[in-house]
Amino acid sequence: MISSVRPTVVIIGGGFGGINVAKRLSRANVNVVLLDRSNHHLFQPLLYQVATAVLTPADIAFPIRRIFRRQKNVTVYRAEIVRIDLARSVVVQEDGTETRFDWLVIAAGAGQSYFGHPEWEAVAPGMKTIEDASRIRGRVLQAFEDAEAESDPEAQQAHLRFVVVGGGPTGVELSGAIKELAVDAMDPDFRHFDAETAHVILIEAGPRLLNAMSEASSQAARDALERMGVEVRLNTRVTGVDEGGVLIGSERIRTDTVLWAAGVEASPLAKSLGVPLDHSGRIIVKHDCSLPGYPRVFAIGDVSAATCATTKTLVPGVCPAAVQMGNYVGDLIAKESKFGLSDTRSDSAARVGFSYWDKGTLATIGRAKAVADLGKRHFKGFFAWLLWGFVHIFFLIGFRNRVFVALGWAVSYMLFTKGSRIILGDPRSRVLHRIAGPISPRAEP
């Protein structure tokens, strides 16, 4: 006999994975509790465009409560989860509040990895939240302001030198966007320096950019960046970062702006579980995304080290994978909840494993420049850029966000301008020598 008490599904994280689990449970006889430290769902792939003044934070974020306002079995709470007690089936919040679960989905995402040097974060910010992107935008824009007010030529060059660490999609996209920001939008607005001389250096420890993509796309991305004026350094490992720049062995690159896009580390929440983790702190899950020994506890998205049931390869930490994992786990819980909590059909071994359908990989380099791997076919240039744009607009949540992002891109493309060049807060100025009196402006071409 099935109990009349509705079981509780607790979802930790309002990203792509967590949102899609909750949506799949809209008709299930369960109560869904969604917990997230923020009140909004964030479209992380476009954070770099907030950081480089193309889009505003509101363009890529959407209130979680708004998503589920018509789904009556979902309750959303803003909460910081610090520990999961699997033995007692509870999650523990920062203030000690406990929430009991019958099913648990951990979709807590990942943060930036500094490879054992957490002290670098203070001077080389990563980009995982809206606050991170807004802080980076402030630093980048302030660098140009400092260059305008600087009378020392060497110091001015340091203001105009930007170092991006990490040659994955975020690093490639950020490098191209900073160079375009300087050339397309900033250059006409300043009097005492040529913004086109802004020097962007992209550093990658591996032998090529975009390691998850084909060699053809990797080389195309490098060629496009170098044509734009970005200096690409491969097989180069950063050994130190401080207020004055970065160290590469014995070489020191003087710069005021270092941006980190070199790696990810799973949410520290995973460490509280007492289960096996991989080298990035991700939870090693079974074929059905469940934790070993806990068939009703799942880990999905960036916090999960999952293997595709068909290809036997590691599922990549990308948006489509998180969406598919969320749909899979949501459908699984909806199906098994019909039989009650005591039913043996919740045995992990009896479940069909999760299979990831790789629909392709895309990365943008700049205006009308992108690369795309679709199966065995590889594209670059304007077509790949259009495809990248359509895919990203499709995954955005909310009609308003889709319209505003599309309009923002259209304006930026046609007018060669960036619409969100606002410095928020009070980024610390790096000017060493303030201009004491009138100075001759740069010569007009």
Side-chain angles (χ1 to χ4, degrees), residues 14-16 19-20 23 40-50 54-63 67 130 319-320 323 387-409:
F16 292 109
I19 292 293
N20 280 277
K23 285 182 175 180
H40 55 267
H41 167 79
L42 177 64
F43 191 73
Q44 284 191 341
L46 291 180
L47 268 176
Y48 83 96
Q49 295 211 352
V50 174
V54 178
L55 301 175
T56 69
D59 294 334
I60 63 168
F62 198 83
I67 298 172
I130 284 179
C319 157
V323 170
L387 185 61
W388 174 90
F390 282 127
V391 168
H392 281 67
I393 289 175
F394 173 80
F395 276 107
L396 277 169
I397 291 179
F399 177 77
R400 180 255 180 217
N401 290 40
R402 293 188 179 111
V403 171
F404 275 65
V405 167
L407 287 175
W409 286 347

Side-chain angles (χ1 to χ4, degrees), residues 211-398:
N211 188 53
M213 299 187 71
S214 66
E215 290 192 16
S217 292
S218 172
Q219 187 60 47
R222 180 179 180 178
D223 292 343
L225 285 171
E226 290 179 339
R227 284 194 298 269
M228 294 170 67
V230 175
E231 179 183 348
V232 178
R233 296 196 182 191
L234 303 178
N235 297 305
T236 303
R237 191 174 299 276
V238 171
T239 55
V241 183
D242 57 34
E243 290 278 352
V246 298
L247 287 174
I248 303 172
S250 60
E251 180 187 1
R252 181 175 181 81
I253 301 176
R254 184 181 176 187
T255 176
D256 293 342
T257 310
V258 183
L259 306 177
W260 196 267
V264 295
E265 187 175 60
S267 167
L269 193 60
K271 297 177 182 178
S272 73
L273 295 167
V275 298
L277 308 176
D278 73 356
H279 66 281
S280 296
R282 297 178 299 180
I283 303 165
I284 300 175
V285 297
K286 298 184 71 175
H287 66 290
D288 58 348
C289 299
S290 71
L291 273 61
Y294 299 93
R296 290 195 177 97
V297 179
F298 304 89
I300 62 175
D302 289 343
V303 77
S304 167
T307 300
C308 175
T310 51
T311 65
K312 307 303 180 183
T313 58
L314 196 65
V315 177
V318 294
C319 157
V323 170
Q324 291 179 40
M325 293 172 89
N327 291 340
Y328 167 83
V329 170
D331 289 343
L332 193 155
I333 295 174
K335 176 183 176 182
E336 294 184 357
S337 65
K338 298 176 182 178
F339 307 120
L341 295 173
S342 60
D343 194 273
T344 57
R345 276 169 283 198
S346 290
D347 180 19
S348 177
R351 295 169 177 162
V352 176
F354 169 72
S355 292
Y356 170 58
W357 178 22
D358 186 355
K359 301 177 183 179
T361 308
L362 304 104
T364 184
I365 298 111
R367 183 176 181 272
K369 303 178 187 71
V371 290
D373 288 345
L374 304 179
K376 296 182 179 180
R377 304 187 68 183
H378 314 296
F379 303 93
K380 63 180 180 179
F382 184 72
F383 174 76
W385 181 73
L386 282 179
L387 185 61
W388 174 90
F390 282 127
V391 168
H392 281 67
I393 289 175
F394 173 80
F395 276 107
L396 277 169
I397 291 179

Side-chain angles (χ1 to χ4, degrees), residues 401-423:
N401 290 40
R402 293 188 179 111
V403 171
F404 275 65
V405 167
L407 287 175
W409 286 347
V411 170
S412 179
Y413 180 83
M414 291 186 293
L415 302 182
F416 293 86
T417 187
K418 312 295 180 185
S420 185
R421 287 164 43 195
I422 305 299
I423 299 176

